[in-house]
Amino acid sequence: MNLILVGPPGAGKGTQAERLREDFNLPHIATGDMLRAEVREGTELGERAKRYMITRRISDGEAADGFLLDGFPRNEQQAHALEDALERLDRRLTAALLIDVPDGEVVRRLSGRRVCVKNPTHIYHVEFDPPKHADVCDQDGARLIQRDDDKETTIRRRLEVYHEHTEPLLAYYDHAGLLRRFDGLRSAEDVHARIRATLATLRLEEKL
């Protein structure tokens, strides 16, 4: 299966990608880990490098039986580049999996995160997973802070970019009959179960 995982920031794509990777033994290809600064700035070098790296990754042996792309494509131009790369490999996209979460919930999830200044892997949430004492890490007593990326103004800016560039991509895949929507307001376990059921159905259809 050749899959794309789509959704706004804070939708839970990373959690679902990890579970699907284990379920179906698919390599999780996250462009956020590759040339992060260049790609984030949208430079020509970053865009060219990202397309090259994606093409190379889906062509290697690890992805021979399928892949799970997270963070690419982000617009129709990149979708066409992916299609061309797959066509050269005599493969096609199986589905684009959208985890849909409204903007208000995205802001609620991300703006509530707090991280330890001493160890950034110690992460809390003021509503969902609060520390025992406000602004103090349970594990080492260090101060908890809100990262710049988790401030509401930054989150809303990221959402504007998502709506401007990614929503046309969703319409593109919907028109192609490849888009599958999942309610990201449900629990992570429920979303996972629904995605698994959808993929099982797609597998059966491909075998018929």
Side-chain angles (χ1 to χ4, degrees), residues 17 36 41 59 85 98 106 109 112 121 130 132 135 142-143 145-146 156 158-159 176 181 187 194 199:
R36 184 177 297 274
E41 293 300 320
S59 304
L98 168 63
V106 168
R109 290 180 182 181
T121 64
K132 293 175 183 176
D135 299 325
R143 186 167 54 94
I145 61 168
Q146 182 185 46
R156 293 201 179 276
R158 292 171 65 193
L159 284 168
R181 295 178 180 270
S187 69
R194 289 167 185 267
L199 296 181

Side-chain angles (χ1 to χ4, degrees), residues 20 23-24 182 190-204:
L20 293 173
D23 288 341
F24 299 101
F182 302 92
D190 195 0
V191 173
H192 175 227
R194 289 167 185 267
I195 292 177
R196 279 195 63 175
T198 296
L199 296 181
T201 301
L202 289 174
R203 267 188 164 177
L204 285 173

Side-chain angles (χ1 to χ4, degrees), residues 7-155:
K13 297 189 297 296
T15 298
Q16 298 303 328
E18 185 61 26
R19 295 182 180 193
L20 293 173
R21 184 185 67 79
E22 294 176 0
D23 288 341
F24 299 101
N25 196 29
L26 296 173
H28 174 210
I29 305 171
T31 60
D33 299 332
M34 300 186 290
L35 288 184
R36 184 177 297 274
E38 291 286 354
V39 172
R40 186 193 301 124
E41 293 300 320
T43 64
E44 183 180 355
L45 170 62
E47 290 302 308
R48 287 169 55 195
K50 182 161 60 175
R51 286 196 295 269
Y52 167 75
M53 287 184 291
I54 292 297
T55 302
R56 187 181 64 186
R57 284 296 306 275
I58 67 175
S59 304
D60 68 21
E62 185 187 16
D65 293 326
F67 56 77
L68 180 61
L69 270 179
D70 178 3
F72 185 93
R74 290 182 182 271
N75 53 51
E76 280 194 50
Q77 183 181 4
Q78 293 177 0
H80 289 304
L82 176 61
E83 284 178 12
D84 291 343
L86 287 172
E87 191 173 325
R88 287 194 294 273
L89 297 168
D90 195 26
R91 293 163 69 175
R92 65 183 181 84
L93 192 65
T94 305
L97 311 173
L98 168 63
I99 303 176
D100 207 6
V101 179
D103 288 4
E105 178 64 13
V106 168
V107 173
R108 179 183 174 214
R109 290 180 182 181
L110 298 185
S111 65
R113 288 197 301 206
R114 299 293 185 271
V115 299
C116 176
V117 294
K118 191 173 181 180
N119 188 334
T121 64
H122 298 165
I123 302 173
Y124 301 83
H125 193 282
V126 295
E127 184 177 350
F128 308 132
D129 184 24
K132 293 175 183 176
H133 303 284
D135 299 325
V136 178
C137 179
D138 292 346
Q139 300 182 60
D140 56 29
R143 186 167 54 94
L144 297 178
I145 61 168
Q146 182 185 46
R147 297 179 303 186
D148 288 342
D149 282 352
D150 293 335
K151 291 180 178 175
E152 183 171 346
T153 52
T154 305
I155 297 165

